Amino acid sequence: MSTPITPAQVDFSDPAVPASPAFGDVYHARAGAVAQAQHVFLGGNGLPGRWQGRRCFVVLETGFGLGNNFLATWDAWRQDPARCERLVFVSVEKHPLRRDDLARAHAASPLPDLAQQLLAAWPPLTPGLHPLHFEGGRVELLLGLGDARELLRELVLQADAIYLDGFAPSRNPEMWDEWLLKQLARHAAPGTTAATWSVSRPMRRALAALGFEVGLAPGLAPKPEMTVARFAPR
């Protein structure tokens, strides 16, 4: 039996950087959520270049949060004339936002049209997988609400790119431990890439042990570095 969903509590006292009182951490960098998504997750996974000419491209994300990584990826897909025919974005979230809080988080979104479409499709906060379709079905958000450990075990997919997100490993260790990373590796194939703003040494060692080639890339200020990886099992 699935555990009932506990919605996120969001602190909007600093409107530029919403925070989670439960985890004692912010949802995104002060440089901006979309800027962070573009630099860390799109750039770190070689997008949009890697999806060009493909029939289907699958992104797997840990930690949907405010949804900005999805919106930035959807926007990049929209803007790319050589985009893949179909974009599938799979994301898990243990503590999703209530619709009113999501609306508040995107009140000044740089992608207002896409944010409004996400709000209009926002599902009831019930456990399980919620498929949301956009662009006439060419963009699918498969939103898993609940414990990532349960949801990743249920998923049957092969990811082309992995967005390792979520609150800092020191604040939310279960989203970064070896067991969860092993589940992500189970959904990877040779050539699958991964990126995260975190440079946690235990996380990097675990990725390397699972068959990823792990490196550092320039980060988004104020972080000087970020982690990039490519699945290349021996």
Side-chain angles (χ1 to χ4, degrees):
M1 183 176 180
S2 299
T3 305
I5 297 296
T6 302
Q9 301 295 324
V10 186
D11 178 2
F12 289 103
S13 56
D14 182 346
V17 189
S20 166
F23 290 96
D25 202 0
V26 295
Y27 275 95
H28 57 75
R30 189 167 290 279
V34 172
Q36 177 175 290
Q38 291 169 337
H39 180 91
V40 176
F41 298 107
L42 285 154
N45 280 287
L47 299 173
R50 288 186 55 239
W51 66 37
Q52 292 179 348
R54 297 275 300 273
R55 188 187 67 79
C56 182
F57 193 90
V58 179
V59 176
L60 176 58
E61 177 186 55
T62 56
F64 187 77
L66 307 182
N68 286 296
N69 294 340
F70 167 64
L71 294 179
T73 304
W74 180 7
D75 179 63
W77 179 88
R78 257 192 165 190
Q79 303 300 326
D80 183 7
R83 59 184 173 258
C84 52
E85 294 178 24
R86 187 162 171 260
L87 173 66
V88 179
F89 194 102
V90 183
S91 185
V92 294
E93 178 57 59
K94 188 174 184 179
H95 300 294
L97 271 68
R98 297 179 177 88
R99 188 190 300 270
D100 289 350
D101 284 337
L102 192 66
R104 187 173 179 184
H106 290 286
S109 172
L111 303 172
D113 174 47
L114 303 189
Q116 284 301 315
Q117 291 187 57
L118 176 62
L119 279 168
W122 196 239
L125 302 188
T126 54
L129 298 173
H130 299 261
L132 312 180
H133 297 97
F134 307 95
E135 305 287 349
R138 295 181 67 195
V139 172
E140 178 180 359
L141 168 60
L142 185 60
L143 184 61
L145 302 185
D147 192 322
R149 293 167 179 268
E150 297 176 9
L151 292 165
L152 289 173
R153 203 160 43 216
E154 294 174 11
L155 288 172
V156 180
L157 61 86
Q158 181 177 297
D160 297 294
I162 298 172
Y163 293 5
L164 283 166
D165 205 0
F167 297 116
S170 59
R171 306 297 177 94
N172 190 19
E174 69 177 26
M175 288 294 284
W176 302 89
D177 67 15
E178 189 173 354
W179 189 94
L180 188 128
L181 295 174
K182 188 179 293 185
Q183 293 303 305
L184 293 175
R186 190 170 65 84
H187 295 297
T192 295
T193 58
T196 176
W197 49 268
S198 176
V199 292
S200 159
R201 287 183 180 178
M203 178 267 295
R204 289 162 53 78
R205 283 196 298 267
L207 286 175
L210 290 167
F212 285 88
E213 295 173 344
V214 183
L216 294 173
L220 182 71
K223 292 181 71 69
E225 294 176 314
M226 58 182 248
T227 298
V228 293
R230 178 179 175 274
F231 194 54
R234 293 175 182 174

